[in-house]
Amino acid sequence: MGYWVYAVMFAAAFAAAAVIGAFVVPMLRKLKLGQHILEIGPNWHRNKEGTPVMGGIIFIAASALVTAAALLFKKGEGAAPVLCVFFLALANGVIGFLDDCEKILKKQNLGLKPKQKLVMQFAVGAVFLLLVSWLGIFKGEIEIPFTDISFSTYWFITYPIALIMIVGSVNAANLTDGVDGLLSGVTVPVALFFGVAAAALGLESVAVFACALAGAICGFLIYNFNPARIFMGDTGSLFLGGATIGLAFVIGKPLIFIVVGIIYYIEALSVMLQVGWFKLSHGKRIFKMAPIHHHFELCGWSEKTLFAVFSLVSAAFCALGALWILGIL
């Protein structure tokens, strides 16, 4: 498949998201499905109150439509890994949708209970691992990035660790969604990385989905860039977390996600450090606020600056990962 096809998939998904968004944004606004802003957040976020949420359905629909069209054109060739990834992404998106609905109905920023979400996420992750193992897509072999080292161990060691990594990565992506366009901007290079990696490894259908996902997110950014006219909500953030970590597993290189998803993990680590130190020190904090993007906000960074810096850092680490995949490093 020529590389121009991947560019077409990106462009088609971008256009689809732009068109879908033109209908979805006013519809959600008319239905008054607005975001409730957390009271402990930065004061200037108050003017975001009522901004439509659940906007993730825009890039979910756009990426699904374009990928489905491509798979139909190829008569289903290479569809299995794509369907596995889409299952993981969509199932997490549904969990996010339920969470968003709970927040809207209760008119507060607290949705499903953490235990409820985790139980569902672990169940979804377990089904995903069963599917990719049964289909022979993921065989439990682990490659250490930037080395020639690969290893496999007992399934009862590998798969529980893989399951924790999946659920942790999905929620790390969710934590990144805190200011206008941030998760979108960070995830575009991640999706493009998986497009390059899948194409290099001969997984054409996976590359099509990754490129369509990147294009759909860019189309969504028309409405999500600061000042955002719509938020992706947990519907979108959990979908993106599931899609990106799922792609890492179906290309057979899950540990590379630690590199290309570095921003997600930094955000999650900042929360863990903040909470841990707060408890150990009886009320002291490391950051002004966590996740860390809020710390930088309170230090005076604008949302546009956060978007640019975090997206560029994500792009740099994705480029590094691509150099390894292509055998340059």
Side-chain angles (χ1 to χ4, degrees):
M1 183 181 289
Y3 289 112
W4 64 270
V5 174
Y6 303 125
V8 169
M9 295 298 102
F10 179 95
F14 175 88
V19 171
I20 292 169
F23 290 95
V24 169
V25 173
M27 179 186 72
L28 293 178
R29 189 175 293 278
K30 187 175 181 181
L31 292 172
K32 297 182 179 180
L33 299 180
Q35 174 76 44
H36 179 80
I37 302 302
L38 195 64
E39 292 180 3
I40 61 171
N43 292 331
W44 52 89
H45 280 203
R46 291 292 180 189
N47 59 8
K48 300 175 186 285
E49 187 84 30
T51 302
V53 75
M54 298 185 189
I57 59 178
I58 294 171
F59 55 74
I60 292 172
S63 59
L65 286 170
V66 172
T67 303
L71 290 177
L72 286 172
F73 182 77
K74 293 186 66 180
K75 298 180 180 179
E77 182 184 344
V82 176
L83 293 175
C84 288
V85 172
F86 201 77
F87 162 76
L88 181 64
L90 187 60
N92 274 288
V94 169
I95 295 170
F97 177 79
L98 295 174
D99 195 42
D100 287 335
C101 287
E102 190 81 359
K103 292 173 185 176
I104 291 168
L105 290 172
K106 290 182 177 179
K107 296 183 179 180
Q108 61 182 25
N109 204 49
L110 298 174
L112 297 174
K113 294 179 180 178
K115 287 183 180 179
Q116 292 175 314
K117 289 172 71 174
L118 284 174
V119 167
M120 289 188 283
Q121 288 175 330
F122 272 105
V124 167
V127 173
F128 169 77
L129 285 173
L130 285 172
L131 284 172
V132 293
S133 299
W134 178 58
L135 294 168
I137 297 168
F138 177 64
K139 300 176 182 178
E141 189 171 350
I142 305 297
E143 277 190 75
I144 299 178
F146 309 105
T147 73
D148 295 324
I149 301 171
S150 63
F151 64 92
S152 58
T153 184
Y154 298 109
W155 68 267
F156 54 82
I157 296 175
T158 302
Y159 286 89
I161 293 173
L163 183 56
I164 291 169
M165 182 179 181
I166 289 169
V167 174
S169 299
V170 169
N171 286 300
N174 179 246
L175 288 170
T176 307
D177 184 33
V179 298
D180 294 357
L182 186 62
L183 180 56
S184 301
V186 167
T187 305
V188 168
V190 177
L192 288 174
F193 161 80
F194 283 115
V196 170
L201 295 168
L203 302 169
E204 295 178 347
S205 294
V206 175
V208 163
F209 171 69
C211 292
L213 180 63
I217 299 169
C218 286
F220 174 69
L221 267 170
I222 295 172
Y223 309 100
N224 187 230
F225 188 70
N226 181 260
R229 286 181 277 167
I230 192 168
F231 298 142
M232 67 172 69
D234 283 4
T235 304
S237 61
L238 294 183
F239 176 90
L240 291 182
T244 50
I245 188 62
L247 285 166
F249 274 86
V250 298
I251 69 167
K253 303 181 187 296
L255 291 187
I256 194 60
F257 196 74
I258 297 172
V259 178
V260 300
I262 187 69
I263 293 294
Y264 306 148
Y265 290 122
I266 289 173
E267 294 275 20
L269 183 61
S270 71
V271 173
M272 293 166 66
L273 289 172
Q274 184 86 322
V275 172
W277 183 244
F278 186 86
K279 290 180 178 179
L280 287 173
S281 64
H282 304 290
K284 294 183 179 179
R285 291 177 170 84
I286 299 173
F287 308 106
K288 292 183 178 182
M289 188 176 176
I292 199 168
H293 58 258
H294 287 317
H295 170 81
F296 288 117
E297 265 196 293
L298 293 172
C299 287
W301 288 31
S302 70
E303 293 190 51
K304 288 185 174 71
T305 300
L306 278 166
F307 173 88
V309 173
F310 279 48
S311 298
L312 285 172
V313 171
S314 178
F317 276 87
C318 288
L320 189 65
L323 292 176
W324 175 63
I325 289 288
L326 297 171
I328 299 173
L329 283 181

